[in-house]
Amino acid sequence: MSGVEQTRRERPHERVTEDGRRVREVLTYARRGSRFTPKQQAAWDAHHDGWVIPDAAVDDPGFSFATWFGREAPLVVEIGPGVGEATAALAATRPAYDVLAFEVWTPGVAEALGRVADAGATNVRWCTVDAVWSLEHLLAPGSVTELWTFFPDPWHKKRHHKRRMVTPEFASLAASRLVPGGAWRLATDWAEYAEQMVEVLDAEPLLEGGVVERWDERPLTKFERKGLAVDRQITDLTYRRVEA
């Protein structure tokens, strides 16, 4: 769970070419508004100091997520938890695990802080730095017990497919960060994206798995209910890291 000992490239939106030009990178998300509701503001004020890792902290060469959790424990990584409905429910039943949630939408983080607090879970930390960059530069190979990617943005327009998270490059990176036997759990309500996920993940030599029955521990979230309301098929997948 310690940081990766290597020279880090700049965080996304900060990359500079050798001739000094700034380059805008292709990201898997779009940043949304930052205005809080009163309830979100109250949760942010109460919990962000202890549970939200400042972006600037990751630039410290000695940065370690374990420092922010205050212990060494098996690590679960969730990418894109939104308002934390699944995060709160799953973390509360896993007190022996640390749950690291990557979410760039700060009102979502604020709402999730309140949900996790209400669930009595103290084992979640949020990071608003790009998740792909963080897995590459801040998490060591074989350091993640489980990876959760529930309903990532499908970027359904063909010209936006390059922004999807589940690509061969990311699959290779994610697989390398899992412990042997560690699970990558995914869910999507976009059938075409589910097909792409299967194609990509089946081709990754460090992973084995496929489409599974709905994970019964994953709570039915507001987002999932919306998908079901318009007759979208929900697809759950689980892949596990095999020995290299």
Side-chain angles (χ1 to χ4, degrees):
M1 277 170 279
S2 60
V4 180
E5 295 298 328
Q6 64 183 67
T7 301
R8 300 176 188 165
R9 66 179 175 85
E10 297 89 346
R11 282 188 275 134
H13 294 308
E14 298 178 7
R15 188 161 68 86
V16 180
T17 63
E18 291 184 359
D19 61 358
R21 293 181 296 108
R22 289 193 172 274
V23 178
R24 182 176 180 83
E25 298 188 60
V26 175
L27 302 177
T28 61
Y29 55 86
R31 291 191 182 271
R32 294 185 280 170
S34 58
R35 183 176 296 179
F36 291 173
T37 65
K39 184 177 180 180
Q40 290 169 346
Q41 187 67 59
W44 181 267
D45 292 343
H47 302 294
H48 87 276
D49 281 344
W51 292 352
V52 179
I53 301 168
D55 285 5
V58 308
D59 295 328
D60 184 341
F63 174 81
S64 168
F65 284 116
T67 300
W68 288 88
F69 284 101
R71 65 176 183 174
E72 293 281 354
L75 182 66
V76 174
V77 172
E78 182 178 13
I79 299 176
V83 296
E85 289 176 280
T87 314
L90 294 170
T93 62
R94 289 165 171 76
Y97 290 78
D98 291 335
V99 179
L100 175 61
F102 286 100
E103 177 58 65
V104 299
W105 182 42
T106 50
V109 174
E111 187 161 335
L113 290 170
R115 291 179 185 273
V116 167
D118 290 344
T122 60
N123 56 332
V124 185
R125 300 293 180 270
W126 278 264
C127 184
T128 60
V129 175
D130 177 77
V132 177
W133 182 93
S134 297
L135 258 68
E136 180 180 358
H137 295 280
L138 304 179
L139 290 166
S143 64
V144 178
T145 300
E146 285 201 5
L147 175 62
W148 301 336
T149 313
F150 303 139
F151 303 99
D153 195 323
W155 294 105
H156 60 276
K157 293 182 180 179
K158 189 172 183 179
R159 69 177 184 271
H160 291 154
H161 284 187
K162 62 185 177 182
R163 302 188 69 171
R164 287 179 170 177
M165 173 163 289
V166 182
T167 63
E169 295 76 18
F170 181 69
S172 177
L173 172 64
S176 74
R177 269 41 185 174
L178 286 170
V179 301
W184 185 359
R185 302 184 186 275
L186 309 95
T188 182
D189 63 339
W190 204 264
E192 187 269 334
Y193 195 10
E195 293 173 1
Q196 178 185 326
M197 289 178 176
V198 170
E199 180 180 352
V200 167
L201 299 179
D202 279 356
E204 170 50 51
L206 288 179
L207 295 172
E208 61 179 14
V211 176
V212 295
E213 294 295 321
R214 188 186 188 282
W215 187 30
D216 58 5
E217 290 189 61
R218 181 171 60 78
L220 185 65
T221 64
K222 180 179 179 181
F223 185 90
E224 186 173 357
R225 287 193 293 271
K226 285 183 177 180
L228 292 169
V230 293
D231 296 324
R232 287 183 184 160
Q233 179 180 341
I234 308 300
T235 302
D236 275 67
L237 304 95
T238 299
Y239 283 80
R240 291 190 180 274
R241 164 72 189 268
V242 301
E243 294 287 350

